[in-house]
Amino acid sequence: MNCYFLKETPSKARKDVDRIMVEMGFNNIGFPRPSSKNKIIDFFVTLGSALKAPFSIHKGDVLLLPYNIRKYYVYLCKIAHMRGAKVVTLIHDLSSFYRKHVSSEDEIKRLSHSDYLIAHNEIMKRWLEENGSKQPIGVLGIFDYLSDKEPADKPLPTQPYKVLYAGTLSPKKNKFLYDLEDYIHSYHFNLYGKGFDADSIQKKEYFTYKGFVSSDDLVASADGDFGLVWDGNSIYSCDGPRGAYMQYNNPHKYSLYMRCGLPVIVWDKAALATFTKDNKVGVCISSLDQLDEVLSSITNEEYAEMKRNVLTISQRLSEGFYFKRAFDEALSWLSRN
């Protein structure tokens, strides 16, 4: 039997994996998640689920652990092994990249209790191996993105293109948005999210603030031709801890843009730059000051090809294709070893 353990208050990415696992027939070894967002209730439900685990795991089971349950992670791995089960870990985040309370050595040691790891991509896999991980490591490729909505069927755009950015819009979080106006001449920004400071923008004609829109509604109504995946203060690179982390992780925002039917613009040093180029679903740039020239050079035919490829990926994301493939590869390895 395949089973899993879900931590309190899961993110969108973890909720989607939860839903995919249920569709695949997995059994949740914990208690059902409460609809309440009360952290105290969530804490005790998770604690109770951890205490219930020894009675829910059986010999021959495969336990899938989403790697965000750091408090109970080693305990659950040990319980699974005591009960004769195997553990597959789907890595959601590696805290050692941008949090100071855990070192890479400690994180690798913690993950060593799993029988098989699923990393975001080949670059994260290589980092794990170079930092001492001895387990077999598979690759997800990209996070799936479930939504009951579908991208609107719109005619192909003509230049100037509209670039959509969704996220926190404050100057403190993403200062690059406010430094771009001197470099914009042949495209337009549509901004979705909270915290936009319109008074800090001089050339307001290049920016349209759309407000906050839920992710499901954005899938169906996204007003843009490209989705921008960028993080930090600088227009010249993705800087800061989270910007640097993009060299190793799969930002969930990338998957959101795919589900919106949008080709992406991504930093050329980001881990997902390889996925972008291999699947021809967007453009990779080293600096945002290049964006004007890059977008101006994209022909209608090139855009149409990217759009077709994006819609193919979007359909896969809506079906849980990438998690299912990665988990099947894990099961295949475990059955041979």
Side-chain angles (χ1 to χ4, degrees):
M1 182 182 70
N2 299 327
C3 51
Y4 69 101
F5 183 91
L6 192 66
K7 188 180 182 289
E8 72 273 5
T9 318
S11 66
K12 166 64 176 168
R14 296 194 291 267
K15 285 180 180 177
D16 283 352
V17 172
D18 177 33
R19 186 171 153 189
I20 295 166
M21 288 189 293
V22 170
E23 292 173 356
M24 293 173 67
F26 281 65
N27 179 48
N28 182 4
I29 65 169
F31 292 111
R33 307 317 311 168
S35 57
S36 166
K37 294 183 179 180
N38 186 300
K39 291 185 178 181
I40 296 176
I41 295 175
D42 277 348
F43 169 80
F44 282 107
V45 170
T46 301
L47 175 61
S49 296
L51 295 174
K52 174 177 174 283
F55 307 99
S56 306
I57 303 172
H58 306 284
K59 185 176 181 179
D61 287 352
V62 175
L63 174 64
L64 188 286
L65 292 179
Y67 186 63
N68 62 299
I69 52 168
R70 296 169 184 89
K71 184 178 295 185
Y72 300 108
Y73 180 77
V74 173
Y75 162 78
L76 289 167
C77 289
K78 289 182 176 180
I79 288 296
H81 292 146
M82 287 174 58
R83 299 287 289 174
K86 298 289 187 180
V87 178
V88 174
T89 297
L90 172 62
I91 296 173
H92 280 279
D93 257 327
L94 291 172
S95 298
S96 55
F97 276 102
Y98 58 88
R99 293 176 181 168
K100 302 299 183 183
H101 66 266
V102 60
S103 66
S104 58
E105 292 82 4
D106 287 342
E107 194 143 56
I108 294 295
K109 183 178 180 181
R110 186 183 294 158
L111 288 167
S112 70
H113 292 275
S114 182
D115 297 291
Y116 187 99
L117 304 177
I118 300 175
H120 290 197
N121 49 62
E122 290 290 345
I123 295 175
M124 181 179 283
K125 174 182 176 179
R126 190 181 315 130
W127 182 89
L128 289 165
E129 292 171 340
E130 290 173 351
N131 281 273
S133 182
K134 304 300 183 185
Q135 295 95 321
I137 304 174
V139 169
L140 184 66
I142 183 176
F143 276 102
D144 296 297
Y145 201 104
L146 306 187
S147 174
D148 295 331
K149 304 289 182 67
E150 293 296 333
D153 186 12
K154 297 183 294 186
L156 291 175
T158 56
Q159 298 196 32
Y161 292 120
K162 292 181 287 188
V163 177
L164 185 152
Y165 182 82
T168 303
L169 305 175
S170 67
K172 183 178 180 180
K173 177 66 169 67
N174 283 313
K175 185 175 179 293
F176 74 86
L177 287 169
Y178 300 84
D179 294 338
L180 263 176
E181 55 185 338
D182 291 336
Y183 300 95
I184 301 176
H185 303 290
S186 63
Y187 65 96
H188 187 88
F189 258 110
N190 285 345
L191 305 175
Y192 290 83
K194 296 179 180 179
F196 183 56
D197 183 5
D199 293 337
S200 296
I201 299 290
Q202 301 300 315
K203 299 179 181 178
K204 294 180 172 57
E205 66 272 20
Y206 292 118
F207 296 84
T208 299
Y209 177 48
K210 299 283 191 174
F212 175 79
V213 176
S214 70
S215 58
D216 271 345
D217 289 338
L218 189 63
V219 168
S221 64
D223 184 9
D225 305 316
F226 288 89
L228 175 64
V229 184
W230 204 265
D231 205 318
N233 293 320
S234 176
I235 66 172
Y236 303 110
S237 69
C238 290
D239 64 357
R242 289 190 177 274
Y245 187 33
M246 284 180 60
Q247 296 178 75
Y248 301 92
N249 80 325
N250 292 353
H252 205 231
K253 185 182 298 183
Y254 188 106
S255 299
L256 170 60
Y257 292 150
M258 290 284 109
R259 285 293 288 122
C260 291
L262 301 177
V264 293
I265 300 161
V266 67
W267 186 32
D268 63 0
K269 293 183 175 61
L272 280 175
T274 300
F275 184 94
T276 304
K277 289 181 283 192
D278 288 350
N279 292 281
K280 298 181 180 179
V281 290
V283 295
C284 305
I285 57 174
S286 61
S287 172
L288 288 174
D289 63 357
Q290 303 170 345
L291 195 49
D292 205 276
E293 179 181 356
V294 169
L295 292 181
S296 298
S297 67
I298 296 173
T299 67
N300 293 340
E301 292 76 16
E302 289 170 334
Y303 184 88
E305 181 184 13
M306 284 189 285
K307 183 75 172 183
R308 286 193 300 271
N309 295 336
V310 166
L311 292 176
T312 298
I313 300 294
S314 179
Q315 183 62 36
R316 290 177 179 173
L317 299 184
S318 72
E319 298 169 349
F321 170 86
Y322 291 95
F323 172 76
K324 292 175 182 176
R325 182 180 67 179
F327 187 74
D328 283 346
E329 290 174 355
L331 288 182
S332 178
W333 189 93
L334 291 173
S335 68
R336 299 192 308 269
N337 294 275

